[in-house]
């Protein structure tokens, strides 16, 4: 052994140890998986939790179907219920066991929703919000009879909650690619390189199966009481005490780590009641609303924007052991080739 080279080796060892022991390289950029976002532990936890929340706003339209199993011992209580075909014919033959099935369709335009959403480990999403919609109830028809809703334009406010299951996103795509390339040997450099390149590609899409539930509040819906003159209006359409529920598919497209657009389509299932002219009885109305909405969402950034004068780093980077953003929330933070502008 050449002992003359030993001191030089020890010097190099201590120099390299001191370099790697530093939390930050000479450029202030770190590749650590978990970087602190605040000087304090509590602040770091708060910022990590903040990044789970996003706010969103969406709008669109819907097509509705509604109907009722109509039965009344005294149909005169419903002045808008009339025969519209074959003015002369057999009398109406209905009973509680054999009601008259009546159905109608119409549009719901416009509707909008605004709310907040929490991402739980890219597996589940939970959220809630407030929405409004404006619709109309066209005449229902059944057999030779028609049921007209007089002044049936309505406005509904809704408070809702959502629970979503992430079906497919960038993480699941990587897992799927690993499964597809499972039969290739690790010594097959070409296929392994292809796998790594595909797995590193930016995949901005996310597919979520979502359930919605909530409460409706009917704001404007009035019907004329014909016996009291044309200027007398009372509410006769009401929301059932039961909560509504819905199912849908949400497709998201990321524009950065913090901004995205989404399209959501689904169906809501609701119940209303319609009162007779003297309010002595009601008819139950079932409504199905098939809606399509387009929206925009912004996630709260947990990482602070770098404000150090002269620092031109556009990626996420470190200063004194704390992670900072080098770009605004509408840009990718760790951009690749072709994404700098």
């Amino acid at each position: 052994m050449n002992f003359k080279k030993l001191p030089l080796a020890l010097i190099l060892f201590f120099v390299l140890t001191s370099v790697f022991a530093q939390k930050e390289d000479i450029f202030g950029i770190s590749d650590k998986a978990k970087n602190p976002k605040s000087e304090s532990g509590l602040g770091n936890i708060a910022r990590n939790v903040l990044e789970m929340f996003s706010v969103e706003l969406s709008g669109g339209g819907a097509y509705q179907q509604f109907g009722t199993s109509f039965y009344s011992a005294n149909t005169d209580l419903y002045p808008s219920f009339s025969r519209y075909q074959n003015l002369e014919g057999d009398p109406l033959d209905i009973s509680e066991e054999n009601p008259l099935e009546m159905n109608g369709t119409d549009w719901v335009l416009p509707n909008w929703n605004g709310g907040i959403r929490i991402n739980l480990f890219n597996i589940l999403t939970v959220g809630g919000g407030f929405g409004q919609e404006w619709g109309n109830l066209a005449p229902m028809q059944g057999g030779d009879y028609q049921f007209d809703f007089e002044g049936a334009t309505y406005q509904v406010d809704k408070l809702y909650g959502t629970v979503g299951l992430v079906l497919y996103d960038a993480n699941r795509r990587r897992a799927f690619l690993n499964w597809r390339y499972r039969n290739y040997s690790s010594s097959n450099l070409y296929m392994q390189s292809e796998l790594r390149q595909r797995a590193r590609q930016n995949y901005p899409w996310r597919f979520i199966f979502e359930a919605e539930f909530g409460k409706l509040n009917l704001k404007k819906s009035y019907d004329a009481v014909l016996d009291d003159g044309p200027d007398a209006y009372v509410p006769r359409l009401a929301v059932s005490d039961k909560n509504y529920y819905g199912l849908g598919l949400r497709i998201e497209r990321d524009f950065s780590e913090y901004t995205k657009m989404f399209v959501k389509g689904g169906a809501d299932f609701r119940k209303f009641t319609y009162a007779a002219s003297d309010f002595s009885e009601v008819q139950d109305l079932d409504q199905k609303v098939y809606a399509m909405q387009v929206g925009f969402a912004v996630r709260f950034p947990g990482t602070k924007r770098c404000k150090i004068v002269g620092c031109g780093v556009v990626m996420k980077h470190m200063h004194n052991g704390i992670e900072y953003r080098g770009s605004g929330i509408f840009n990718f933070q760790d951009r690749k080739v072709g994404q700098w502008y």
Side-chain angles (χ1 to χ4, degrees), residues 164-184:
L165 174 65
V166 179
L167 302 177
Y168 196 73
D169 63 354
N171 293 331
R172 285 152 186 80
R173 177 178 177 269
R174 282 191 289 269
F176 175 72
L177 289 174
N178 289 328
W179 177 81
R180 281 194 60 185
Y181 284 79
R182 69 191 185 282
N183 292 328
Y184 295 105

Side-chain angles (χ1 to χ4, degrees), residues 23-40:
K23 301 290 185 179
E24 170 184 319
D25 63 13
I26 59 175
F27 298 105
I29 301 174
S30 173
D31 293 329
K32 293 192 303 178
K34 295 182 180 179
N35 296 326
K37 300 178 176 64
S38 177
E39 292 80 1
S40 66

Side-chain angles (χ1 to χ4, degrees), residues 22-187:
Q22 293 179 358
K23 301 290 185 179
E24 170 184 319
D25 63 13
I26 59 175
F27 298 105
I29 301 174
S30 173
D31 293 329
K32 293 192 303 178
K34 295 182 180 179
N35 296 326
K37 300 178 176 64
S38 177
E39 292 80 1
S40 66
L42 183 60
N44 188 53
I45 294 175
R47 289 190 168 276
N48 285 328
V49 172
L50 181 66
E51 279 197 335
M52 299 169 62
F53 288 81
S54 62
V55 293
E56 60 185 40
L57 183 66
S58 62
Y63 178 76
Q64 62 168 321
Q65 295 177 332
F66 48 89
T68 183
S69 298
F70 181 80
Y71 168 74
S72 176
N74 183 9
T75 58
D76 293 337
L77 295 174
Y78 302 90
S80 58
F81 178 74
S82 61
R83 182 186 294 273
Y84 74 99
Q85 294 177 357
N86 301 328
L87 296 181
E88 295 181 1
D90 298 331
L92 179 63
D93 182 20
I94 60 174
S95 63
E96 290 188 69
E97 294 76 20
N98 183 35
L100 178 63
E101 298 296 334
M102 309 195 75
N103 298 282
T105 61
D106 213 324
W107 293 96
V108 178
L109 288 170
N111 61 17
W112 70 270
N113 293 327
I116 193 166
R117 189 172 300 268
I118 306 173
N119 179 13
L120 299 177
F121 314 109
N122 293 321
I123 299 175
L124 293 175
T125 64
V126 296
F130 173 81
Q132 287 184 323
E133 67 181 46
W134 290 260
N136 187 70
L137 297 177
M140 295 186 299
Q141 296 178 355
D144 294 340
Y145 290 86
Q146 179 168 295
F147 196 112
D148 294 293
F149 297 94
E150 305 208 13
T153 300
Y154 68 89
Q155 176 184 336
V156 168
D157 293 350
K158 64 177 183 178
L159 290 173
Y160 64 90
T162 61
V163 177
L165 174 65
V166 179
L167 302 177
Y168 196 73
D169 63 354
N171 293 331
R172 285 152 186 80
R173 177 178 177 269
R174 282 191 289 269
F176 175 72
L177 289 174
N178 289 328
W179 177 81
R180 281 194 60 185
Y181 284 79
R182 69 191 185 282
N183 292 328
Y184 295 105
S185 171
S186 58
S187 60

